[in-house]
Amino acid sequence: LPEGLTEIRDEAFWWCANLKQVCAPDSLIHIGRDCFKGTAFYRYYSENENDWGDFLILGKCLVLARRNIREADIPEGIRMIVSDAFFEHVLLEKAVIPDSVAYIGWRAFANCTGLRGIRIPGSVKRIGWHCFKDCTRLQEIRLEEGTEVMENGVFSGCRRLTQIELPATVEGIPGWCFFGCGSLLRVE
């Protein structure tokens, strides 16, 4: 991919079954949802986790995390956590999101049933659709000043969440945001 490229949009390489290698420039800061689904490239990294480190990173985007990771210390400099990066990583107990991240994609942490708490720094301007959906042990969310947009269902199904403080920078509370959060007692 050429130097200077900043974005690959949703489903750009979807089901390009023979695509085996992707070399991305450091300028890449956004990868759309399902961009590499169905490719040999994505399948290799999904099935051969022992051949690479904790994270698959393209440009400044965290594309995928090793499935058996328990603590994710996301590297400084990452600008985006791509859709489904940690989807159904049930062993994940802790994730540290650096202040460099601006966007967390769709379902990025959905169904991470071991995750107990998360700090979302103010650098994160947008939190994607169903991002933390069904994180059933998630009790503590620190959403810092700076976050502007939360998409639908962001915290739906977080059954153990008891309270959350929304920063003044949040532009609105979307549909299904707290659907199924039966323990929620307080929203500030």
Side-chain angles (χ1 to χ4, degrees), residues 1-17:
L1 298 172
E3 188 58 49
L5 180 75
T6 59
E7 178 181 21
I8 303 173
R9 299 222 173 145
D10 297 348
E11 302 163 354
F13 297 100
W14 201 24
W15 290 104
C16 291

Side-chain angles (χ1 to χ4, degrees), residues 52-126:
W52 49 283
D54 288 341
F55 308 112
L56 170 61
I57 296 171
L58 291 178
K60 296 190 181 341
C61 302
L62 190 155
V63 177
L64 193 62
R66 211 173 16 84
R67 185 152 302 281
N68 64 353
I69 195 168
R70 291 183 182 276
E71 291 190 11
D73 192 2
I74 298 166
E76 185 63 44
I78 294 296
R79 296 285 308 279
M80 177 184 189
I81 301 171
V82 176
S83 296
D84 296 326
F86 291 89
F87 182 70
E88 292 185 341
H89 284 43
V90 296
L91 299 177
L92 183 68
E93 296 173 357
K94 179 181 178 186
V96 178
I97 300 171
D99 292 334
S100 58
V101 173
Y103 179 52
I104 304 174
W106 285 28
R107 301 178 308 255
F109 291 93
N111 296 75
C112 289
T113 54
L115 191 61
R116 298 179 187 280
I118 193 81
R119 171 192 163 263
I120 302 171
S123 62
V124 175
K125 301 302 178 204
R126 178 180 290 271

Side-chain angles (χ1 to χ4, degrees), residues 25-43:
D26 284 342
S27 57
L28 184 63
I29 59 171
H30 185 93
I31 296 175
R33 74 180 177 280
D34 296 333
C35 188
F36 297 106
K37 293 288 169 112
T39 65
F41 169 77
Y42 193 81
R43 190 171 46 256

